[in-house]
Amino acid sequence: MLSDHRRAGARLVRGTPWDRHNPVELRERIADPSAWAGTGTVLHVSSPQERLVAQLSRIKELSGLSLRALARQTNLSSSSLSRYLTGRLVPPWEAVVALCRAVGRDPRPLRALWAEATEAGAAPARRRNDLPADLFDFTGREAESALVEELLRTTGAAAIDGMAGVGKTSLAVHVAHRLVPAYPDGGLYLDLQGFTPGQEPLAPHAALGRLLGALDVTHPPAGTADRAALWRSELSRRRILVVLDNAVDAEQVRPLLPGAGKSAVLVTSRHRLVSLDGVPPVSLEPLTDDDAVHLFGRAAGLSLTEEEAVDQVLRQCGGLPLALRMAGARLRHRPGWTVAVLAERLRATPGRFDSAFGMSLQQLDAVQRRMFRLLGVLPGADFDAAVAGALTGMPPDRADAALEELVDAHLVQEPSPGRYRMHDLIRQYAAAIAADEEPRAEAGLRRVLAHYLAQAVANDRALPSPHRKEPSPGDPARAMAWFDLEYVNLVACFDAAVRLGMDEVVAELPQAMRVWFFRHRGTDDQARMLEAAATAAARLGRDRQRASLLADLGYVRATAGRITEALSAYELAEQSGPDDDIAAALALRIGMVRRDLGDLDAAQAHFRRARELFERIGRHAGQSQALAFDGWVTLHLGRRGEAVELARASVALAEGPARITGLVTLGLALAADDPAESLRTLHDALRLSEQHNLRHNQAWCHNCLGVALRITGSPEKALEHHRRAFELLEPLAEVQLEIDVLHAYAETCRAAGRCDEALALLGRTIELARELGRPFDEKLARSARETVRAAR
């Protein structure tokens, strides 16, 4: 869960002496912005938006509430409130009213200033549009389209239901394309996989993660309820049209619905979602004969004159748009055929829903039919020709040619150049005939999983990592883009490998994704993948690999703040008898956990053991880290001079960003005796973090600069760095670092005489420590809270 203060980006305007005014006077002044003129208060603001930000910041200060508490009271999201208070977004008038009412003041005096700021505007947000392409031959559905459009305009929601192949998605996408210009923040599309063959319906938790990711919330909260609340809050300040396609039931959709605001949602499902309050259903029936004839003619590219034969085609296709399009496509690509020939071919395939599919398949050669069957068992959302080649064992040129034929037959879609996917109904049909006719389907699937693993390993090698002794080959940006593109497919392949018992893939794929996961911390899949991978490695008898996977699992849990669970994973890794390389990393990480549990002597012993092991294997970067953390513990044990020596030794051993840990430790150790060198060293660490785009290290450096400035007697400057640390932490899943920052920020607030802020921060620390099972941090925060209360 994101901290209140992680988003606390509101900075007091320099030169505004808040402490000179009592709360009663502040209440009077907030009601009249012009009253600040001539009071001796210097406002270094000029634009309407800056003046509005200054007023809103005063309201927050007057409320005496933390950012999260004020957001709750005003029914705003914390992230939105942070954007309003930092000028990144001009708030809607309703938000200004809610903030004023939170402190019992009349909002009307701010109306003119708000109007000026709105007219000037903030930087325009990036418009998002994920909608699939509209169909060029969309036919009929005038009444249904008009009803859906009216529902979206009046109620902001609609749910289209109907049988498979009846055109639910086509109608939803068609309507969305017509209406999306009225939604200035764009359109979002998400396939919920409710009826996708071979895949489980997308859980609300994962669906919310993808939707929030589309809004640039890269590390959403851990809980489903918190994600749903953040999703509603984000939509409340935007105007977005959301299409939720292929829902399995109401329970899957309910957490994804927007709340208050001007966004709208359009849902499709094979089931009628009658229990979704406020989401009116629109049911689709098969096309009328007139519309079916028109669609068939457009798909075939012909003027239809054979009435009896056309009627036979319509009966075989059952009025289903998908079947009609494929039947028309076959006729268009067979210029020697008549409609009567097509109707005869359709009669030869039994079943109303499969007739058009079976007919389309008959027009393909044996190689193309085999590819079609095998594509029915392919995991993931989309694929490229290389994957299709691995599935079928075809060389690239033949796979490309076969895919082109399948695209022409409307059996495969090509939503973007070189990327392919199958409609769920067609995939289901392909999977069914593969089960009956393709005895080697599993062998093809196994080739695909091996292909994805090989690609992941190759791209992982192109990504720079401190774990590698050799320079990384290849293009890191291209490799990272590959992981971004294939992530959903990689997870689907991992799950398929688990089902098939392919322990080799299960054990190795999470390791091939290690660097990508490190840069995208907090994903929902990494921990479960590592757990399954460690179990698979044990079955394979690979103790070293199991130890490495458990070490990674411990790191993931530690980053999430669950240090007792992290320690359990690390101890299991030690039991696997790791070699010196892994043992050294484990010793370092166990030392960090022991440090966070408050056992500094045990932590120091582990750091020194790690240093010995890293020295034995010649890993200077590891030695540097061990020395730096040893110095940190030594400093907190009261031996400042020894800590300085350890930190200098750490910096001397490392190169590049590996020097950051030693520089930070050195800066903190020098703060009391040499303030100038302390700040210079910490700024060096910050510059390194910025040069290498290490946001978590940037947050750490800013927090430590705050600590150093507090020690050197500049608490107000220190507060700016703590606030910046929380801004940087906002998109990161770094709960451990958040707790560290909360402790330091609260102590700086106490030193600055801001006791109420300190108490709010400590309250959040206690809440978070209790939630994560961290008694040492809870004890520290409670002790600090008593100290602050005694000082008030």
Side-chain angles (χ1 to χ4, degrees):
M1 183 179 296
L2 295 175
S3 164
D4 303 351
H5 308 281
R6 178 187 290 185
R7 301 184 178 89
R11 294 185 180 83
L12 298 182
V13 180
R14 291 177 187 264
T16 306
W18 284 93
D19 295 342
R20 283 196 263 167
H21 302 283
N22 59 44
V24 173
E25 187 177 357
L26 284 174
R27 289 189 179 91
E28 296 303 322
R29 293 189 182 279
I30 199 66
D32 182 8
S34 63
W36 288 94
T39 63
T41 300
V42 181
L43 296 177
H44 297 292
V45 292
S46 56
S47 73
Q49 187 177 348
E50 288 174 320
R51 295 198 300 274
L52 181 62
V53 167
Q55 298 299 334
L56 297 181
S57 297
R58 294 192 183 98
I59 290 174
K60 179 186 180 298
E61 194 77 11
L62 175 60
S63 73
L65 299 173
S66 68
L67 187 121
R68 176 66 63 85
L70 182 57
R72 287 198 196 102
Q73 183 168 326
T74 54
N75 200 28
L76 301 171
S77 75
S78 299
S79 58
S80 295
L81 183 54
S82 175
R83 292 183 180 99
Y84 304 155
L85 292 170
T86 53
R88 286 179 284 172
L89 187 71
V90 177
W93 176 243
E94 294 80 1
V96 177
V97 171
L99 287 166
C100 288
R101 287 177 177 170
V103 293
R105 307 312 300 165
D106 183 356
R108 286 176 293 182
L110 291 178
R111 180 75 189 202
L113 179 58
W114 172 83
E116 287 184 64
T118 302
E119 185 176 353
R126 179 173 61 90
R127 179 181 173 84
R128 180 98 183 196
N129 193 338
D130 295 335
L131 298 175
D134 197 4
L135 291 173
F136 78 93
D137 59 359
F138 185 86
T139 302
R141 304 295 193 199
E142 289 84 1
E144 294 93 336
S145 296
L147 176 56
V148 172
E149 291 183 22
E150 180 63 19
L151 289 172
L152 291 175
R153 279 192 291 264
T154 56
T155 68
I160 303 171
D161 60 73
M163 64 191 299
V166 78
K168 302 179 294 295
T169 300
S170 298
L171 176 60
V173 170
H174 181 70
V175 170
H177 275 283
R178 287 168 58 90
L179 294 185
V180 78
Y183 293 84
D185 296 309
L188 300 184
Y189 172 88
L190 180 65
D191 182 357
L192 297 177
Q193 301 173 186
F195 299 92
T196 302
Q199 296 193 46
E200 292 296 316
L202 200 61
H205 185 269
L208 286 162
R210 294 186 189 179
L211 289 167
L212 287 166
L215 300 183
D216 297 325
V217 179
T218 54
H219 290 87
T224 302
D226 291 327
R227 288 187 176 195
L230 180 58
W231 166 243
R232 291 191 297 271
S233 297
E234 290 292 328
L235 287 188
S236 70
R237 66 180 187 82
R238 294 176 166 93
R239 189 166 185 177
I240 291 177
L241 178 57
V242 183
V243 177
L244 302 174
D245 192 20
N246 197 11
V248 67
D249 55 27
E251 295 307 311
Q252 184 189 28
V253 173
R254 188 170 285 110
L256 315 182
L257 298 177
K262 296 182 179 180
S263 291
V265 63
L266 181 53
V267 184
T268 75
S269 177
R270 295 187 192 179
H271 293 160
R272 192 165 294 174
L273 308 179
V274 293
S275 64
L276 278 183
D277 295 334
V279 184
V282 176
S283 297
L284 292 191
E285 299 295 335
L287 290 174
T288 65
D289 286 348
D290 287 344
D291 286 338
V293 169
H294 186 46
L295 175 57
F296 176 55
R298 295 183 70 182
L302 299 173
S303 176
L304 303 174
T305 57
E306 305 170 68
E307 292 186 7
E308 183 178 348
V310 169
D311 288 343
Q312 293 176 17
V313 171
L314 299 188
R315 283 197 299 273
Q316 292 295 326
C317 292
L320 299 179
L322 185 61
L324 289 162
R325 284 191 178 92
M326 287 192 298
R330 295 324 309 161
L331 190 59
R332 186 175 70 248
H333 289 286
R334 297 294 185 273
W337 281 15
T338 64
V339 179
V341 172
L342 174 65
E344 183 180 348
R345 297 297 183 99
L346 285 171
R347 284 196 301 273
T349 54
R352 186 177 70 165
F353 304 119
D354 294 346
S355 58
F357 306 156
M359 178 278 306
S360 294
L361 208 56
Q362 288 178 8
Q363 311 314 310
L364 304 176
D365 63 28
V367 171
Q368 295 155 4
R369 288 198 298 272
R370 178 171 174 267
M371 175 177 280
F372 174 77
R373 293 193 299 268
L374 288 172
L375 287 175
V377 302
L378 188 67
D382 60 358
F383 58 94
D384 59 19
V387 170
L391 180 68
T392 58
M394 292 183 185
D397 56 341
R398 293 186 66 196
D400 274 330
L403 281 171
E404 287 303 317
E405 286 296 321
L406 294 176
V407 169
D408 287 345
H410 286 263
L411 292 168
V412 169
Q413 300 167 340
E414 189 177 11
S416 61
R419 299 295 295 187
Y420 303 91
R421 63 184 303 142
M422 297 182 85
H423 187 282
D424 288 349
L425 188 61
I426 299 176
R427 184 190 289 232
Q428 189 172 26
Y429 176 66
I433 61 173
D436 293 336
E437 303 176 15
E438 192 62 49
R440 298 184 60 79
E442 183 177 310
L445 179 55
R446 288 176 177 270
R447 287 194 298 271
V448 167
L449 302 186
H451 167 80
Y452 269 112
L453 175 60
Q455 291 295 304
V457 170
N459 281 285
D460 175 62
R461 287 174 181 159
L463 298 176
S465 168
H467 300 287
R468 275 189 257 281
K469 297 178 181 178
E470 300 296 328
S472 302
D475 182 350
R478 179 176 295 179
M480 190 62 71
W482 183 87
F483 278 110
D484 292 340
L485 178 66
E486 300 287 1
Y487 175 72
V488 172
N489 297 327
L490 289 169
V491 174
C493 284
F494 180 88
D495 293 336
V498 171
R499 290 194 302 272
L500 292 174
M502 292 183 66
D503 284 342
E504 184 87 16
V505 175
V506 174
E508 293 188 11
L509 189 54
Q511 287 190 307
M513 299 174 70
R514 172 189 283 162
V515 178
W516 188 90
F517 273 129
F518 179 79
R519 298 192 184 187
H520 297 77
R521 298 182 210 183
T523 62
D524 300 323
D525 303 300
Q526 187 181 13
R528 71 175 182 84
M529 290 175 71
L530 286 168
E531 288 174 359
T535 303
R539 286 194 295 265
L540 293 168
R542 299 178 179 178
D543 290 341
R544 183 185 186 283
Q545 187 176 38
R546 178 174 183 264
S548 177
L549 289 162
L550 287 169
D552 285 350
L553 177 61
Y555 182 77
V556 171
R557 289 173 172 172
T559 301
R562 302 189 178 279
I563 52 177
T564 53
E565 295 176 26
L567 186 59
S568 297
Y570 290 149
E571 289 173 345
L572 282 174
E574 284 190 311
Q575 293 170 17
S576 296
D579 58 21
D580 284 351
D581 201 348
I582 298 173
L586 279 170
L588 190 68
R589 293 179 181 180
I590 292 172
M592 295 177 189
V593 171
R594 290 295 180 191
R595 175 201 66 183
D596 296 332
L597 289 169
D599 190 350
L600 297 186
D601 291 326
Q604 189 166 61
H606 278 91
F607 290 142
R608 292 183 175 180
R609 171 64 177 157
R611 178 186 174 188
E612 293 173 3
L613 290 170
F614 280 127
E615 187 173 5
R616 183 187 304 172
I617 60 178
R619 292 282 299 277
H620 293 311
Q623 285 179 257
S624 172
Q625 297 298 300
L627 282 164
F629 285 117
D630 187 0
W632 189 96
V633 170
T634 302
L635 176 64
H636 285 76
L637 288 171
R639 304 196 298 272
R640 184 176 291 110
E642 185 181 344
V644 169
E645 291 178 8
L646 289 166
R648 291 194 191 281
S650 168
V651 173
L653 267 176
E655 296 180 358
R659 301 174 69 237
I660 293 171
T661 310
L663 288 169
V664 168
T665 303
L666 179 60
L668 291 176
L670 291 169
D673 298 326
D674 193 340
E677 186 179 355
S678 168
L679 295 176
R680 185 168 57 252
T681 302
L682 289 168
H683 278 292
D684 287 344
L686 178 59
R687 276 192 292 273
L688 269 175
S689 302
E690 292 171 342
Q691 288 168 7
H692 293 273
N693 196 29
L694 300 171
R695 289 177 62 90
H696 55 291
N697 275 341
Q698 291 174 41
W700 186 40
C701 290
H702 276 291
N703 187 56
C704 292
L705 275 165
V707 172
L709 285 164
R710 179 220 308 152
I711 292 172
T712 58
S714 301
E716 291 297 333
K717 289 183 179 179
L719 289 172
E720 295 180 13
H721 287 283
H722 291 309
R723 290 175 185 136
R724 178 58 181 151
F726 273 118
E727 288 177 2
L728 288 162
L729 281 175
E730 180 177 355
L732 303 178
E734 288 278 4
V735 180
Q736 172 59 54
L737 186 51
E738 178 182 352
I739 289 178
D740 292 343
V741 175
L742 282 167
H743 281 302
Y745 194 177
E747 177 59 23
T748 301
C749 285
R750 185 198 64 78
R754 298 168 177 264
C755 293
D756 289 343
E757 288 183 53
L759 290 172
L761 290 161
L762 291 167
R764 171 59 184 153
T765 311
I766 292 168
E767 175 188 334
L768 192 58
R770 189 185 301 119
E771 177 186 331
L772 296 172
R774 300 171 64 113
F776 178 68
D777 285 302
E778 183 177 354
K779 180 181 177 182
L780 281 180
R782 289 188 180 279
S783 175
R785 186 168 67 177
E786 293 306 312
T787 300
V788 174
R789 284 173 174 170
R792 293 179 73 183

